């Protein structure tokens, strides 16, 4: 039974670690401590860790559901299978591992909002400016979500939205409180790379 537990836990840990590149930035947003870009290193090892999970989970199921011959004190023997609790644990672990592996594909960002901000000039209120940043280093939508929250917390930023597929951040800000270069620096400090897009800034002063 110890082998089953070790195998099950190892499978879940491998799945979670393999997805830390995307789970980590979201966790940082929730906790409010750490660099979201620091988790991108796990992306390189993700295929290997998912492969390890794919090996360990079936092994955990095999160890759980196989029939065991148990020798009793009186010399007789009987066939036993794992308890319902152990079976529930391995199925729960499989579900948890599945969620962890699928996490990078969850739709976590405001891509629609980012596109709308680009198209609707009227969305810029008096005294508010808009800048588009080109972002490098985002591996998945988890990274984008973390960066979106980071930019949204910068003093003077009114709204920030990330279009992950386009690698862009669209930011509306109070130009009297923050400048585009400071927004670029904020992205760089998060562990990614940013530059002001050739799409430029859109400002509306009324």
């Amino acid at each position: 039974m110890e082998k089953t537990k070790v195998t099950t836990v190892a499978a879940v840990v491998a799945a979670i670690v393999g997805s830390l590149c995307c789970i980590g930035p979201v966790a940082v947003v929730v906790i409010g401590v750490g660099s979201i870009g620091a988790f991108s290193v796990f992306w390189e090892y993700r295929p290997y860790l998912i492969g390890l999970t794919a090996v360990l989970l079936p092994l955990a199921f095999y160890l759980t559901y196989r029939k065991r011959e148990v020798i009793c004190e009186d010399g007789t023997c009987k066939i036993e299978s794992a308890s319902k609790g152990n079976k529930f644990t391995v199925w729960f672990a499989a579900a948890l591992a599945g969620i962890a592996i699928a996490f990078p594909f969850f739709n976590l960002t405001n891509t629609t909002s980012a596109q709308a901000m680009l198209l609707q000039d009227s969305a810029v209120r008096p005294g508010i400016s808009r800048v588009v940043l080109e972002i490098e280093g985002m591996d998945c939508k988890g990274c984008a979500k973390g960066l979106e929250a980071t930019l949204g917390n910068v003093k003077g930023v009114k709204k920030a939205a990330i279009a992950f597929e386009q690698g862009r951040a669209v930011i509306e800000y109070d130009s009297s409180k923050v400048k585009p270069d400071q927004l670029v620096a904020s992205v760089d400090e998060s562990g990614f790379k940013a530059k002001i897009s050739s799409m430029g800034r859109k400002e509306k002063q009324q």
Side-chain angles (χ1 to χ4, degrees), residues 181-203:
D181 289 345
Q182 292 174 284
L183 298 173
V184 170
S186 180
V187 174
D188 292 346
E189 288 171 5
S190 297
F192 303 104
K193 293 294 182 183
K195 64 179 180 180
I196 298 174
S197 172
S198 57
M199 298 177 71
R201 308 180 184 93
K202 296 195 179 230
E203 301 184 357

mmCIF file of all heavy atoms in Angstrom, residues 181-203:
data_model
loop_
_atom_site.group_PDB
_atom_site.id
_atom_site.type_symbol
_atom_site.label_atom_id
_atom_site.label_comp_id
_atom_site.label_asym_id
_atom_site.label_seq_id
_atom_site.Cartn_x
_atom_site.Cartn_y
_atom_site.Cartn_z
ATOM 1 N N ASP A 181 7.151 54.323 -20.014
ATOM 2 C CA ASP A 181 8.433 53.701 -19.679
ATOM 3 C C ASP A 181 8.391 52.996 -18.329
ATOM 4 O O ASP A 181 9.061 51.972 -18.124
ATOM 5 C CB ASP A 181 9.550 54.751 -19.671
ATOM 6 C CG ASP A 181 9.900 55.237 -21.073
ATOM 7 O OD1 ASP A 181 9.488 54.567 -22.045
ATOM 8 O OD2 ASP A 181 10.568 56.271 -21.193
ATOM 9 N N GLN A 182 7.601 53.543 -17.409
ATOM 10 C CA GLN A 182 7.453 52.914 -16.098
ATOM 11 C C GLN A 182 6.658 51.610 -16.217
ATOM 12 O O GLN A 182 6.922 50.640 -15.495
ATOM 13 C CB GLN A 182 6.743 53.871 -15.131
ATOM 14 C CG GLN A 182 7.575 55.093 -14.757
ATOM 15 C CD GLN A 182 6.782 56.081 -13.929
ATOM 16 O OE1 GLN A 182 5.940 56.808 -14.443
ATOM 17 N NE2 GLN A 182 7.045 56.105 -12.629
ATOM 18 N N LEU A 183 5.712 51.588 -17.131
ATOM 19 C CA LEU A 183 4.939 50.369 -17.365
ATOM 20 C C LEU A 183 5.820 49.291 -17.988
ATOM 21 O O LEU A 183 5.732 48.109 -17.631
ATOM 22 C CB LEU A 183 3.738 50.672 -18.269
ATOM 23 C CG LEU A 183 2.722 51.664 -17.693
ATOM 24 C CD1 LEU A 183 1.674 52.026 -18.739
ATOM 25 C CD2 LEU A 183 2.057 51.095 -16.448
ATOM 26 N N VAL A 184 6.681 49.694 -18.896
ATOM 27 C CA VAL A 184 7.645 48.758 -19.491
ATOM 28 C C VAL A 184 8.555 48.198 -18.397
ATOM 29 O O VAL A 184 8.815 46.990 -18.345
ATOM 30 C CB VAL A 184 8.480 49.456 -20.577
ATOM 31 C CG1 VAL A 184 9.642 48.560 -21.011
ATOM 32 C CG2 VAL A 184 7.613 49.805 -21.773
ATOM 33 N N ALA A 185 9.020 49.067 -17.508
ATOM 34 C CA ALA A 185 9.896 48.638 -16.413
ATOM 35 C C ALA A 185 9.178 47.671 -15.488
ATOM 36 O O ALA A 185 9.777 46.702 -15.001
ATOM 37 C CB ALA A 185 10.388 49.852 -15.625
ATOM 38 N N SER A 186 7.895 47.906 -15.261
ATOM 39 C CA SER A 186 7.113 47.018 -14.391
ATOM 40 C C SER A 186 7.019 45.621 -14.982
ATOM 41 O O SER A 186 7.124 44.616 -14.271
ATOM 42 C CB SER A 186 5.709 47.602 -14.186
ATOM 43 O OG SER A 186 4.940 46.765 -13.358
ATOM 44 N N VAL A 187 6.835 45.548 -16.302
ATOM 45 C CA VAL A 187 6.795 44.249 -16.978
ATOM 46 C C VAL A 187 8.148 43.559 -16.872
ATOM 47 O O VAL A 187 8.239 42.364 -16.562
ATOM 48 C CB VAL A 187 6.397 44.416 -18.459
ATOM 49 C CG1 VAL A 187 6.517 43.070 -19.190
ATOM 50 C CG2 VAL A 187 4.979 44.957 -18.570
ATOM 51 N N ASP A 188 9.222 44.310 -17.124
ATOM 52 C CA ASP A 188 10.574 43.740 -17.052
ATOM 53 C C ASP A 188 10.891 43.211 -15.657
ATOM 54 O O ASP A 188 11.524 42.162 -15.498
ATOM 55 C CB ASP A 188 11.609 44.786 -17.463
ATOM 56 C CG ASP A 188 11.520 45.140 -18.950
ATOM 57 O OD1 ASP A 188 10.854 44.392 -19.696
ATOM 58 O OD2 ASP A 188 12.102 46.167 -19.356
ATOM 59 N N GLU A 189 10.442 43.940 -14.630
ATOM 60 C CA GLU A 189 10.677 43.516 -13.249
ATOM 61 C C GLU A 189 9.905 42.240 -12.920
ATOM 62 O O GLU A 189 10.288 41.491 -12.016
ATOM 63 C CB GLU A 189 10.255 44.627 -12.287
ATOM 64 C CG GLU A 189 11.197 45.831 -12.302
ATOM 65 C CD GLU A 189 10.651 47.004 -11.514
ATOM 66 O OE1 GLU A 189 9.584 46.854 -10.882
ATOM 67 O OE2 GLU A 189 11.289 48.086 -11.533
ATOM 68 N N SER A 190 8.831 41.988 -13.653
ATOM 69 C CA SER A 190 8.034 40.781 -13.422
ATOM 70 C C SER A 190 8.676 39.540 -14.023
ATOM 71 O O SER A 190 8.208 38.429 -13.795
ATOM 72 C CB SER A 190 6.628 40.963 -14.009
ATOM 73 O OG SER A 190 5.950 42.016 -13.365
ATOM 74 N N GLY A 191 9.726 39.740 -14.827
ATOM 75 C CA GLY A 191 10.418 38.606 -15.414
ATOM 76 C C GLY A 191 10.172 38.437 -16.895
ATOM 77 O O GLY A 191 10.686 37.493 -17.512
ATOM 78 N N PHE A 192 9.399 39.328 -17.506
ATOM 79 C CA PHE A 192 9.151 39.280 -18.937
ATOM 80 C C PHE A 192 9.863 40.452 -19.608
ATOM 81 O O PHE A 192 10.500 41.259 -18.946
ATOM 82 C CB PHE A 192 7.641 39.326 -19.217
ATOM 83 C CG PHE A 192 6.887 38.219 -18.538
ATOM 84 C CD1 PHE A 192 6.136 38.463 -17.404
ATOM 85 C CD2 PHE A 192 6.937 36.922 -19.025
ATOM 86 C CE1 PHE A 192 5.448 37.444 -16.761
ATOM 87 C CE2 PHE A 192 6.251 35.890 -18.392
ATOM 88 C CZ PHE A 192 5.508 36.148 -17.263
ATOM 89 N N LYS A 193 9.719 40.559 -20.915
ATOM 90 C CA LYS A 193 10.309 41.658 -21.661
ATOM 91 C C LYS A 193 9.204 42.428 -22.364
ATOM 92 O O LYS A 193 8.303 41.828 -22.947
ATOM 93 C CB LYS A 193 11.325 41.136 -22.690
ATOM 94 C CG LYS A 193 12.569 40.509 -22.072
ATOM 95 C CD LYS A 193 13.396 41.543 -21.317
ATOM 96 C CE LYS A 193 14.657 40.924 -20.739
ATOM 97 N NZ LYS A 193 15.438 41.903 -19.944
ATOM 98 N N ALA A 194 9.290 43.750 -22.326
ATOM 99 C CA ALA A 194 8.264 44.570 -22.948
ATOM 100 C C ALA A 194 8.876 45.718 -23.720
ATOM 101 O O ALA A 194 9.979 46.179 -23.412
ATOM 102 C CB ALA A 194 7.315 45.123 -21.879
ATOM 103 N N LYS A 195 8.162 46.149 -24.728
ATOM 104 C CA LYS A 195 8.517 47.370 -25.449
ATOM 105 C C LYS A 195 7.221 48.005 -25.937
ATOM 106 O O LYS A 195 6.198 47.319 -26.102
ATOM 107 C CB LYS A 195 9.449 47.079 -26.621
ATOM 108 C CG LYS A 195 8.837 46.219 -27.715
ATOM 109 C CD LYS A 195 9.827 45.998 -28.842
ATOM 110 C CE LYS A 195 9.205 45.138 -29.952
ATOM 111 N NZ LYS A 195 10.153 44.908 -31.055
ATOM 112 N N ILE A 196 7.271 49.313 -26.137
ATOM 113 C CA ILE A 196 6.086 50.009 -26.618
ATOM 114 C C ILE A 196 5.839 49.599 -28.065
ATOM 115 O O ILE A 196 6.743 49.613 -28.892
ATOM 116 C CB ILE A 196 6.262 51.527 -26.501
ATOM 117 C CG1 ILE A 196 6.446 51.910 -25.028
ATOM 118 C CG2 ILE A 196 5.070 52.261 -27.097
ATOM 119 C CD1 ILE A 196 6.768 53.363 -24.801
ATOM 120 N N SER A 197 4.613 49.194 -28.346
ATOM 121 C CA SER A 197 4.272 48.676 -29.661
ATOM 122 C C SER A 197 4.346 49.756 -30.725
ATOM 123 O O SER A 197 4.155 50.946 -30.465
ATOM 124 C CB SER A 197 2.859 48.083 -29.632
ATOM 125 O OG SER A 197 2.433 47.736 -30.927
ATOM 126 N N SER A 198 4.581 49.315 -31.959
ATOM 127 C CA SER A 198 4.564 50.240 -33.089
ATOM 128 C C SER A 198 3.157 50.779 -33.323
ATOM 129 O O SER A 198 2.971 51.766 -34.039
ATOM 130 C CB SER A 198 5.058 49.529 -34.357
ATOM 131 O OG SER A 198 4.256 48.388 -34.628
ATOM 132 N N MET A 199 2.169 50.109 -32.684
ATOM 133 C CA MET A 199 0.801 50.609 -32.758
ATOM 134 C C MET A 199 0.697 51.938 -32.014
ATOM 135 O O MET A 199 -0.225 52.707 -32.202
ATOM 136 C CB MET A 199 -0.179 49.598 -32.144
ATOM 137 C CG MET A 199 -0.208 48.264 -32.856
ATOM 138 S SD MET A 199 -1.300 47.082 -32.058
ATOM 139 C CE MET A 199 -2.885 47.794 -32.445
ATOM 140 N N GLY A 200 1.699 52.153 -31.112
ATOM 141 C CA GLY A 200 1.833 53.433 -30.431
ATOM 142 C C GLY A 200 0.819 53.643 -29.339
ATOM 143 O O GLY A 200 0.175 52.735 -28.860
ATOM 144 N N ARG A 201 0.706 54.894 -28.921
ATOM 145 C CA ARG A 201 -0.216 55.283 -27.871
ATOM 146 C C ARG A 201 -1.442 55.901 -28.487
ATOM 147 O O ARG A 201 -1.373 56.567 -29.500
ATOM 148 C CB ARG A 201 0.437 56.274 -26.919
ATOM 149 C CG ARG A 201 1.764 55.860 -26.350
ATOM 150 C CD ARG A 201 2.266 56.957 -25.427
ATOM 151 N NE ARG A 201 3.589 56.652 -24.925
ATOM 152 C CZ ARG A 201 4.696 57.060 -25.494
ATOM 153 N NH1 ARG A 201 4.654 57.791 -26.583
ATOM 154 N NH2 ARG A 201 5.863 56.741 -24.972
ATOM 155 N N LYS A 202 -2.553 55.704 -27.810
ATOM 156 C CA LYS A 202 -3.767 56.373 -28.230
ATOM 157 C C LYS A 202 -4.222 57.236 -27.070
ATOM 158 O O LYS A 202 -4.445 56.745 -25.977
ATOM 159 C CB LYS A 202 -4.841 55.375 -28.617
ATOM 160 C CG LYS A 202 -4.433 54.561 -29.833
ATOM 161 C CD LYS A 202 -5.620 53.866 -30.419
ATOM 162 C CE LYS A 202 -5.189 53.083 -31.638
ATOM 163 N NZ LYS A 202 -5.992 53.313 -32.792
ATOM 164 N N GLU A 203 -4.359 58.471 -27.308
ATOM 165 C CA GLU A 203 -4.759 59.388 -26.248
ATOM 166 C C GLU A 203 -5.967 60.174 -26.683
ATOM 167 O O GLU A 203 -6.155 60.469 -27.863
ATOM 168 C CB GLU A 203 -3.610 60.351 -25.897
ATOM 169 C CG GLU A 203 -2.358 59.654 -25.451
ATOM 170 C CD GLU A 203 -1.291 60.622 -25.029
ATOM 171 O OE1 GLU A 203 -1.547 61.840 -25.148
ATOM 172 O OE2 GLU A 203 -0.226 60.179 -24.593
#
